[in-house]
Amino acid sequence: MSAVLAGCGPTGGSDDVTLRLVAADYGDSAANSSKKYWDQVVEAYEKDHPGVTVDVTVYSWNDVDAKVKAMVDAGDAPDMAQIGAYADYAAADRLYKAGDVVSIPVEADFVPRLADAGKVRGVQYGMPFASSTRLLFYNWTLFAQAGITPPTTWDELAKDAKALKARGVKYPYALPLGPEEAQAESLQWLLSGGGGYTQTVSSYSLDSAENVATFDWLKDELVGKGLTGPVAPGKLNRAAAFAAFTAGDVGMLNGHPSLMKAAESKGVKFGMVPMPGLDGPSKSSLGVADWMTAFKQNGHGDQIGDFLDFVYSKKNVLAFSREYDLLPVTTSASQVMGAAPQDAGLRPFLEELPLSESYPVGRTSWAGVSAEIKKRIGGAVTANGSPADVLGALETTATTAESASGE
């Protein structure tokens, strides 16, 4: 606080500081743009810190990472950026460590699973800002008409999909392996099959026996039997799958919390259950986090830390999470949300968080590997596709990228 307040006074002074924050937009309209959220946070902060101005620029998720990269490449890094990846900047020594900016109580309050995902070689650089997990959504009306119950195993899921197809449901199970977010759907399935993207801290395991078996099953038991709908999984994007669900055309799909509000607004009755696994509900779930980063370039570490302590207060974390149907990234806010009646809809997702597995975002190679998964994984489930060949090629790509990154 002393560093922040040193330049404060009735008329300001030469020590006044302007902090620049680049943030992503989580809203789906002008009415709930993230700009409104940040305007409220900044107004409250600046009121008590007259020596500090916080300048926030909000970009869509389609643009924010590229905008920040362009600023950094031009030698004009913001003080803070709320983005999707941090490892490249950490590897280039452009970021403050989390412990060098936020206070000890704030650092200790991050949900442990998310804090761990924000680390590079055991040191936290990425501070989780928003998180979500995935559950299997099912159309309650279509299930009732087919006389079926929500699945707990893969075999039950396939059996339910067959019953839905027999009743003319367009997408018995929607499998979005298109380029928008194939890495998410893929990881959810791999985890439910006992695999994943990484087997150890230092290597990828894309072509593990468990992963190949999972995609063999998807190809043979779902896609090959016409249970995934009229659009080839490799061409089906998440947004289109969600839109089909809210139109009542999908029996089942993996979804995150924002799908609840979208489905309710269209009058779709739905239920949610943990992702089925081989012999029961999956033992781990996909967890996704977005990251707050603090750049060293302008030397505003003390002021950044004081502002972020305010941003990560229980009140502000809860307000953001409730506005955008996301999970809190702090333990204190999670405890409130877990008990509050108004948050009952998010509770099933919150319960998945301790069991969740994140992308290997602490690796500088991940961005390139993720791009290749988005581009190629849909080919594994085509009629002429070979899961072993596709996953093997991806493993080679990942291993090469890992070696090139020096990790």
Side-chain angles (χ1 to χ4, degrees):
M1 288 292 288
S2 60
V4 176
L5 297 176
C8 297
T11 58
S14 60
D15 292 333
D16 287 359
V17 168
T18 296
L19 297 177
R20 290 188 300 139
L21 165 64
V22 176
D25 196 351
Y26 290 82
D28 54 16
S29 67
N32 71 342
S33 165
S34 291
K35 186 178 186 310
K36 292 194 172 184
Y37 171 80
W38 284 111
D39 284 349
Q40 293 170 353
V41 170
V42 168
E43 182 181 1
Y45 182 79
E46 290 180 345
K47 182 178 178 183
D48 291 331
H49 300 80
V52 180
T53 300
V54 184
D55 181 13
V56 182
T57 306
V58 175
Y59 293 109
S60 80
W61 265 115
N62 296 328
D63 303 325
V64 67
D65 283 49
K67 293 283 189 183
V68 172
K69 184 179 186 303
M71 294 168 74
V72 173
D73 289 348
D76 187 32
D79 295 288
M80 295 162 283
Q82 188 261 302
I83 47 181
Y86 60 84
D88 283 345
Y89 300 128
D93 196 29
R94 296 183 183 276
L95 300 181
Y96 286 108
K97 299 171 185 174
D100 288 344
V101 282
V102 296
S103 65
I104 291 173
V106 168
E107 187 180 14
D109 198 25
F110 289 130
V111 172
R113 282 272 186 167
L114 301 178
D116 287 345
K119 293 177 179 178
V120 175
R121 297 186 182 92
V123 179
Q124 186 178 358
Y125 292 92
M127 291 167 274
F129 184 76
S131 70
S132 68
T133 54
R134 301 291 197 270
L135 290 170
L136 184 76
F137 281 68
Y138 65 94
N139 184 307
W140 188 89
T141 303
L142 297 179
F143 266 59
Q145 291 171 349
I148 54 178
T149 56
T152 60
T153 66
W154 287 2
D155 286 345
E156 290 175 5
L157 186 149
K159 185 178 178 182
D160 284 349
K162 288 175 189 172
L164 292 164
K165 183 183 180 182
R167 292 194 60 85
V169 174
K170 193 172 181 181
Y171 294 89
Y173 178 86
L175 182 67
L177 296 178
E180 180 189 355
E181 208 189 36
Q183 83 285 3
E185 183 73 12
S186 297
L187 183 53
Q188 181 69 73
W189 275 99
L190 296 180
L191 290 170
S192 71
Y197 287 146
T198 54
Q199 204 145 24
T200 67
V201 175
S202 59
S203 65
Y204 286 92
S205 57
L206 286 155
D207 61 349
S208 69
E210 295 87 351
N211 290 351
V212 172
T214 294
F215 268 87
D216 279 339
W217 189 89
L218 283 171
K219 178 188 174 186
D220 297 339
E221 301 301 325
L222 284 187
V223 183
K225 294 184 177 176
L227 302 178
T228 53
V231 179
K235 296 185 182 301
L236 182 65
N237 280 328
R238 183 197 66 184
F242 278 19
F245 186 82
T246 63
D249 292 332
V250 173
M252 298 172 278
L253 85 172
N254 282 314
H256 52 59
S258 68
L259 183 56
M260 293 190 299
K261 190 178 290 184
E264 287 165 357
S265 70
K266 294 293 183 69
V268 174
K269 289 186 177 181
F270 63 89
M272 302 177 298
V273 293
M275 176 69 181
L278 277 168
D279 51 12
S282 178
K283 295 179 177 61
S284 58
S285 169
L286 169 64
V288 177
D290 304 320
W291 306 98
M292 179 68 76
T293 54
F295 284 85
K296 290 180 176 181
Q297 182 177 327
N298 303 313
H300 294 153
D302 289 339
Q303 294 91 341
I304 290 170
D306 190 68
F307 176 66
L308 290 180
D309 278 0
F310 182 75
V311 167
Y312 282 109
S313 67
K314 184 164 61 179
K315 174 184 175 182
N316 285 329
V317 171
L318 280 170
F320 178 84
S321 302
R322 286 167 170 163
E323 177 65 32
Y324 299 108
D325 287 328
L326 291 163
L327 303 183
V329 296
T330 61
T331 300
S332 58
S334 296
Q335 289 171 343
V336 172
M337 187 172 274
Q342 74 186 89
D343 301 312
L346 285 171
R347 203 163 298 143
F349 294 94
L350 201 58
E351 290 168 355
E352 290 288 300
L353 197 53
L355 307 171
S356 67
E357 295 286 341
S358 301
Y359 305 129
V361 289
R363 302 181 183 198
T364 57
S365 57
W366 169 242
V369 173
S370 175
E372 287 300 308
I373 292 171
K374 292 178 184 180
K375 191 187 303 180
R376 294 152 72 173
I377 197 66
V381 296
T382 60
N384 297 319
S386 164
D389 288 350
V390 171
L391 290 167
L394 285 169
E395 176 66 17
T396 299
T397 298
T399 302
T400 302
E402 190 90 337
S403 298
S405 71
E407 293 176 304

